Amino acid sequence: MELAEFWFILIAVLWTGYLVLEGFDFGVGMLMPIIGRSNKGRRVVLNTIGPVWDGNEVWLLTAGGATFAAFPEWYATMFSGFYLPLLLILVALIVRAVAIEYRGKINDQTWRTRWDWVIIGSAWVPAILWGVAFANLVRGVNLDADHQYAGNFFDLLHPFALLGGLVTLTLFLSHGAIFLALKTDGEIRERAEAFARKASLVTVAVAGVWAVWAQLAYSRNTWTWAAVAVAAVALVGAWFSTLKGRFGWAFIADCVGIVGAVVLIFGAMFPNVMPALDPANSLTIDNASSTDYTLTVMTWVAVIMTPVVLAYQAWTYWVFRKRLSLENIPEHNELTFSKG
């Protein structure tokens, strides 16, 4: 295996980590008004990701940085061609960070409600747009002979891409509900479990249609049928596990389903990194990669630092492993607006 191929696989692994971890972050954000119906309930929901959401975003930064260093032309073409959707995602992530930090600063219901809606909206936007972006990578985009994107934003919103957005939306909703079922107790847990049972079934249906469409119409490799099968079995298993009340197994199955989806996406593109509607203009692993020296240095850095990052993040999840309930939420101790 050449270093460029190794880094193509490693970038897929980084995206897998991001979608698994940030997937339930987005799901939790979208479910705040549904699962957490009171202020205390929303505080419980938000606190389940409070210690980990910012660490989960590191996977996105690492995936983007690895793409920039290992495949600079892929990075340049993708970020210029997908400029508007990626900008919307970036803005959503920024305002979400502000909202999470500011929501509990002032003891005022109007203040909290406004920030709640910011959190909810900033979860919905990337939950949909990530699916749109990945679907376009699978289908291929309009690139010219210089590997520059020759379309516009609305060219990215075709039916296959919109269905891809619906896939990530439903997948993150079910993933977030299963996560909440594992991290909460009492009535919040009951609502999360009930929602997870319904959302998981919808995810199976929507993701199944998209995966078969992707494989039949756009995959460049027949072996990715195996990824379709793994994802399908995993998502069905997640749904079945929710019916049996085994939410730990449901979460594991959901994660396997996401792994299968990423393998399908990257496998469908291979050996391209950014397929073009005209195959002659596609960016490939060979014509988009950095020099062997750059990839060698990157490999040594990854070998040394990746275990450290994984160990730290695993320790964080272990420390904050206990369930939360309404009884764990104290009364307000925030600042109040001056009446004078």
Side-chain angles (χ1 to χ4, degrees):
M1 179 188 295
E2 297 181 355
L3 282 177
E5 294 176 343
F6 169 78
W7 273 96
F8 180 75
I9 295 172
L10 185 55
I11 288 170
V13 171
L14 293 171
W15 276 109
T16 302
Y18 174 71
L19 295 175
V20 166
L21 298 176
E22 273 280 84
F24 64 70
D25 285 348
F26 293 142
V28 166
M30 290 186 287
L31 290 172
M32 276 185 65
I34 301 172
I35 306 299
R37 298 174 183 173
S38 64
N39 177 55
K40 269 196 172 184
R42 288 189 289 274
R43 289 171 68 189
V44 170
V45 169
L46 190 58
N47 284 357
T48 60
I49 62 171
V52 297
W53 67 268
D54 48 354
N56 295 342
E57 286 188 351
V58 171
W59 289 83
L60 174 62
L61 300 176
T62 309
T67 304
F68 172 77
F71 300 98
E73 193 161 357
W74 180 17
Y75 181 94
T77 301
M78 181 169 59
F79 276 75
S80 60
F82 295 178
Y83 182 82
L84 183 54
L86 291 178
L87 176 64
L88 292 173
I89 290 172
L90 179 61
V91 170
L93 295 178
I94 292 172
V95 299
R96 182 185 68 156
V98 174
I100 290 174
E101 294 297 330
Y102 274 56
R103 181 193 186 276
K105 299 298 184 183
I106 303 294
N107 184 14
D108 179 79
Q109 188 56 46
T110 301
W111 171 274
R112 287 190 293 266
T113 299
R114 287 172 179 170
W115 288 118
D116 283 347
W117 283 109
V118 173
I119 294 171
I120 295 163
S122 61
W124 278 82
V125 169
I128 296 172
L129 290 182
W130 280 130
V132 171
F134 281 116
N136 274 285
L137 289 179
V138 171
R139 175 180 177 267
V141 294
N142 186 12
L143 300 183
D144 61 23
D146 295 322
H147 307 307
Q148 298 299 310
Y149 181 63
N152 57 53
F153 173 70
F154 295 102
D155 291 335
L156 302 175
L157 303 180
H158 46 82
F160 182 70
L162 295 176
L163 183 59
L166 189 58
V167 170
T168 48
L169 175 66
T170 55
L171 180 59
F172 292 165
L173 279 170
S174 60
H175 199 43
I178 292 170
F179 177 78
L180 285 173
L182 290 174
K183 287 291 294 177
T184 60
D185 216 340
E187 62 183 84
I188 303 296
R189 178 182 179 182
E190 293 172 1
R191 291 182 202 140
E193 290 178 351
F195 188 91
R197 294 185 183 100
K198 300 173 184 176
S200 296
L201 180 58
V202 175
T203 301
V204 170
V206 176
V209 171
W210 184 87
V212 172
W213 188 356
Q215 180 63 34
L216 291 175
Y218 303 118
S219 180
R220 293 145 190 90
N221 300 285
T222 56
W223 62 262
T224 47
W225 274 114
V228 174
V230 168
V233 171
L235 293 178
V236 170
W239 170 62
F240 186 75
S241 297
T242 62
L243 297 179
K244 296 296 182 180
R246 302 186 175 219
F247 285 88
W249 284 109
F251 186 80
I252 293 172
D254 239 18
C255 294
V256 174
I258 293 174
V259 172
V262 174
V263 172
L264 171 60
I265 291 167
F266 279 76
M269 292 193 294
F270 185 84
N272 301 317
V273 293
M274 194 160 186
L277 297 179
D278 180 355
N281 296 336
S282 294
L283 278 170
T284 68
I285 291 176
D286 291 332
N287 65 24
S289 63
S290 294
T291 63
D292 284 342
Y293 177 78
T294 300
L295 296 176
T296 300
V297 173
M298 290 175 60
T299 301
W300 280 109
V301 172
V303 168
I304 295 171
M305 296 304 300
T306 301
V308 176
V309 174
L310 290 175
Y312 175 76
Q313 195 156 31
W315 175 78
T316 302
Y317 277 91
W318 176 255
V319 169
F320 296 101
R321 66 188 182 277
K322 293 185 178 180
R323 292 180 180 271
L324 298 174
S325 66
L326 295 173
E327 289 70 28
N328 299 125
I329 302 300
E331 294 301 323
H332 297 294
N333 57 359
E334 304 99 331
L335 298 173
T336 57
F337 285 118
S338 174
K339 302 296 185 181

